[in-house]
């Protein structure tokens, strides 16, 4: 069967959920071959095989931690040449999209970014993308070269499918370009203990209606009761109430969780652009005419300072 190359996103051997989702989609097109870079590759092999990887290729080299993305592109390109896949799937993170774009240039292939679904087609994989702030979906196919496709987190279920999962170490020669930019220091962000915004299954967001940085504690309490990530509208971010890294929308992050709860957010088109593909949308707003109510599955007309704590309390009692 044709092989599909899947770029694995992992942290020290712990495979991140978006990669397991990619394996579900890859199996619709062919046999997934997983590429794992850096430390901890052995630890990933069993999980990847459990989710359908017929082969796990790994590359270990100091370049991955010392330099920016180009060494990773070199390794992916080497895997591409070794496997001759029918498609390459990469998680839609900022880094993933850069890696995918660079690989597409090197292989003379077409690139599809931010797919939200993928299916097999007579002339190659067909990707679904959300367009015009997710008001429409489009289906597209690459007509030149081997399709390189990035897929948004939470676009597919994680499904187990045990495979043989042979682990092979891939030899890679790095290009001169790969050492062009060196990382001189890293400052890790202080962890909040909450899930990563773009990968979270539940996101609770606050907007201008939250009315102050200190009031975000109400949003955070609901998020923590649900094991959710915290998002914010641009109005809240611009006011300095919450960090820009948490902004959802056109100029922020794009999220697609199972559940999105918008509190004190009016539903401007630029905010919708980042959350409209969420599976279930709930809004809490004191204005019954707020545009957010046009796209919600469930809406509560009320003061968020009354409704959100009640919701948090209710979650705690379950
Ligand atoms: P508002 O529109 O002011 O809405 C606040 C809402 O809170 C109102 O509906 C009000 O009824 C409700 N409310 C007030 N008090 C309470 C209460 N106590 N209880 C319940 N409800 C209450 N915006 C983004 O979010 N993300 C982006 O990435 C983004 N990018 C942009 C890019 C460009 C180029 C431009 C021009 C704009 C962008 N914006 C973005 C801004 C966007 O147009 C809106 O201005 C912004 O989303 C509004 O944020 P908001 O809904 O929090 O505030």
């Amino acid at each position: 069967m044709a092989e599909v190359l899947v770029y694995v996103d992992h942290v020290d051997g712990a495979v991140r959920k978006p990669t397991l989702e990619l394996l579900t989609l890859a199996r619709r097109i062919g046999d997934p071959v997983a590429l794992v870079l850096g430390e901890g590759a052995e630890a990933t092999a069993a999980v990847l095989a459990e989710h359908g990887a017929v082969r796990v290729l790994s590359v270990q080299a100091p370049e991955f931690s010392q330099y920016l993305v180009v060494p990773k592109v070199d390794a992916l390109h080497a895997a591409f040449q070794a496997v001759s896949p029918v498609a390459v799937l990469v998680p839609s993170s900022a880094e993933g999209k850069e890696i995918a774009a660079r690989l597409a240039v090197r292989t003379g292939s077409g690139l599809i970014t931010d797919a939200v679904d993928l299916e097999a087609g007579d002339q190659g994989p067909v990707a679904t993308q959300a367009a015009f702030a997710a008001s429409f979906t489009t289906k597209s196919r690459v007509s030149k070269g081997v399709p390189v496709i990035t897929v948004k987190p939470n676009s597919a279920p994680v499904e187990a499918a045990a495979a043989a999962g042979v682990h092979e170490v891939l030899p890679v020669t790095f290009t001169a370009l790969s050492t062009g930019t060196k990382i001189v220091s890293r400052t890790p962000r202080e962890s909040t203990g909450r899930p990563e915004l773009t990968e979270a299954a539940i996101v609770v967001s606050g907007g201008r209606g939250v009315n102050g940085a200190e009031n975000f504690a109400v949003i955070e309490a609901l998020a923590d009761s649900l094991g959710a990530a915290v998002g914010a509208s641009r109005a809240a971010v611009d006011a300095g109430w919450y960090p820009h890294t948490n902004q959802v929308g056109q100029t922020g992050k794009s999220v697609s969780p199972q559940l999105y709860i918008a509190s004190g957010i009016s539903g401007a088109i630029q905010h919708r652009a980042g959350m409209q593909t969420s599976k279930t949308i709930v809004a809490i707003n004191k204005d019954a005419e707020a545009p957010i109510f046009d796209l919600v599955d469930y809406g509560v007309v009320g003061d968020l300072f009354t409704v959100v704590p009640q919701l948090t309390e209710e979650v705690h009692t379950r």
Side-chain angles (χ1 to χ4, degrees):
M1 199 175 176
E3 291 186 323
V4 178
L5 186 58
V6 174
Y7 181 86
V8 174
D9 187 7
H10 72 104
V11 180
D12 299 330
V15 179
R16 299 179 81 158
K17 190 168 154 271
T19 298
L20 302 180
E21 294 165 8
L22 286 191
L23 289 169
T24 301
L25 295 175
R27 296 205 307 270
R28 295 182 188 166
I29 305 165
D31 284 334
V33 175
L35 174 68
V36 187
L37 307 185
E39 300 289 320
E42 295 78 19
T44 65
V47 175
L48 294 168
E50 220 174 273
H51 291 84
V54 294
R55 290 200 280 156
V56 176
L57 306 179
S58 74
V59 184
Q60 282 198 26
E63 279 82 354
F64 300 134
S65 56
Q66 290 170 355
Y67 299 96
L68 297 180
V69 296
V70 181
K72 297 177 181 174
V73 182
D74 287 344
L76 182 57
H77 191 208
F80 180 94
Q81 288 169 321
V83 173
S84 298
V86 291
V88 181
L89 305 188
V90 182
S92 257
S93 58
E95 182 181 89
K97 283 193 266 195
E98 181 173 350
I99 290 170
R102 286 176 180 270
L103 180 75
V105 170
R106 285 201 198 177
T107 56
S109 299
L111 170 73
I112 295 176
T113 56
D114 286 338
V116 293
D117 201 6
L118 208 55
E119 62 202 72
D122 294 342
Q123 293 164 294
V126 178
T128 304
Q129 288 165 291
F132 296 120
S135 307
F136 297 89
T137 54
T138 60
K139 287 192 185 283
S140 26
R141 173 174 68 71
V142 163
S143 56
K144 183 168 177 276
V146 174
V148 181
I149 302 171
T150 76
V151 180
K152 274 188 165 184
N154 293 311
S155 295
V158 172
E159 288 168 359
V166 184
H167 183 191
E168 301 160 35
V169 177
L170 188 74
V172 170
T173 312
F174 294 100
T175 59
L177 186 65
S178 68
T179 52
T181 312
K182 190 167 184 175
I183 295 169
V184 289
S185 72
R186 285 178 197 272
T187 312
R189 242 189 314 147
E190 220 172 275
S191 169
T192 58
R194 299 191 183 99
E196 162 63 33
L197 183 59
T198 53
E199 293 172 14
I202 305 177
V203 174
V204 181
S205 285
R208 203 194 308 268
V210 174
N211 199 26
E214 63 289 355
N215 296 341
F216 257 87
V218 175
I219 305 296
E220 289 176 337
L222 177 58
D224 291 343
S225 73
L226 294 165
V230 175
S233 73
R234 178 159 160 180
V237 170
D238 283 354
W241 302 341
Y242 225 67
H244 179 256
T245 44
N246 294 66
Q247 183 179 315
V248 172
Q250 187 182 314
T251 43
K253 287 185 176 156
S254 195
V255 300
S256 199
Q258 297 298 325
L259 173 63
Y260 187 87
I261 303 178
S263 310
I265 292 177
S266 61
I269 184 83
Q270 296 89 353
H271 187 78
R272 290 177 182 213
M275 46 65 76
Q276 200 159 359
T277 53
S278 305
K279 307 294 176 293
T280 301
I281 299 172
V282 175
I284 300 153
N285 197 302
K286 65 181 183 185
D287 175 8
E289 303 298 319
I292 189 97
F293 286 126
D294 295 342
L295 82 152
V296 298
D297 298 283
Y298 302 96
V300 182
V301 179
D303 190 317
L304 74 89
F305 295 106
T306 310
V307 178
V308 175
Q310 280 175 347
L311 198 52
T312 309
E313 206 181 308
E314 188 60 32
V315 174
H316 280 304
T317 60
R318 299 214 170 192

